[in-house]
Amino acid sequence: MTKRSNEEEQYLDRYDASRFDRPSVTVDVVILTLREGHLEALLVKRKEHPFLNYWSLPGGFVQMHESLDEAAARVLRQKAGLEGVVGDTSREEPDHHPIYLEQLYTFGNPQRDPRMRVISVAYYALVEASHVREINEETALFKLRIPEGAATVEIYDGKHKKYSLAFDHAEILAVAIQRIRGKLGYTSIGFELLPRRFTLRQLQEVHETILQKKLNKDSFRRKMLASGMLEATGEHEQGRDFRPAELYRFRRVP
């Protein structure tokens, strides 16, 4: 860090930060997974006003001592019971990817929170299905759908009941899904929703579920095999009545 001059130190000692309004800052985390051919989000039920008993994205106010990334990781840990984001090799497990966490967008509509001016820095986390669980009665997984041309997401429970979300969280969810769809074709982001070892069928299901459309099996497999991102394990899936499919693992391309 550059050493400050005496003049600068004196300026900072006299500086009056109260001259300017200071909005609060939160992080909200979109936690996405795939289960039984559906894209789902882990949501939490609010226990206080505003939006009492509404479902919302896991989130929280950024503390003064923490960075935005640290706040997002704390929300994952405290609100969803999830630990071990990408880059934290100390928490990697042999059969699963670490949790993929990426900053999404900043939402700053002055009216987005009825309490006061709150700016939300949104993140999205992609989690393999076996890692996601409803840790208490205030957390639940919901199926997602973006109607054609809509700017927000519709959410449904296991009985197909539709719900509204707190704040602007339906809009945040929609932006997250559109971001993932946009990155699916040119990045390795789809692998983050798979176990360490997977079949080509499972990989295609990830792409079809996110894109909400069917893909040609042969052309998809040719493209994936030619991408350099797949490595054959020499193993085959177990417990299948039909011919077991070959298992692959993701190979990061430098």
Side-chain angles (χ1 to χ4, degrees), residues 35-122:
R35 292 197 313 173
E36 300 176 355
H38 294 281
L39 186 63
E40 298 187 348
L42 186 70
L43 303 176
V44 297
K45 180 177 284 189
R46 289 186 55 79
K47 295 182 289 186
E48 59 187 14
H49 293 291
F51 296 101
L52 177 66
N53 292 326
Y54 274 67
W55 292 96
S56 68
L57 298 172
F61 287 93
V62 178
Q63 299 174 3
M64 295 299 290
H65 66 275
E66 64 185 355
S67 68
L68 293 172
D69 288 355
E70 289 169 343
R74 173 175 55 81
V75 166
L76 279 176
R77 182 175 63 254
Q78 294 178 350
K79 300 290 182 72
L82 294 169
E83 296 190 81
V85 299
V86 169
D88 184 3
T89 56
S90 65
R91 295 186 179 274
E92 286 190 13
E93 299 180 28
D95 291 326
H96 301 280
H97 294 294
I99 295 169
Y100 181 88
L101 180 67
E102 180 178 324
Q103 192 174 126
L104 172 66
Y105 193 74
T106 301
F107 294 82
N109 187 315
Q111 282 77 48
R112 64 175 302 276
D113 191 315
R115 294 169 295 187
M116 56 185 173
R117 180 71 195 277
V118 178
I119 296 171
S120 175
V121 181

Side-chain angles (χ1 to χ4, degrees), residues 141-193:
L141 284 160
F142 288 84
K143 295 179 175 60
L144 307 177
R145 188 175 76 88
I146 301 182
E148 189 69 30
T152 61
V153 166
E154 294 179 349
I155 68 166
Y156 300 85
D157 64 14
K159 298 180 180 179
H160 305 290
K161 180 181 178 181
K162 184 178 176 181
Y163 289 82
S164 297
L165 291 181
F167 305 106
D168 54 356
H169 290 185
E171 178 188 351
I172 295 175
L173 265 170
V175 172
I177 294 173
Q178 297 294 0
R179 170 74 61 83
I180 295 165
R181 285 178 178 173
K183 297 183 71 170
L184 195 60
Y186 68 94
T187 71
S188 59
I189 199 169
F191 294 98
E192 307 297 343
L193 293 164

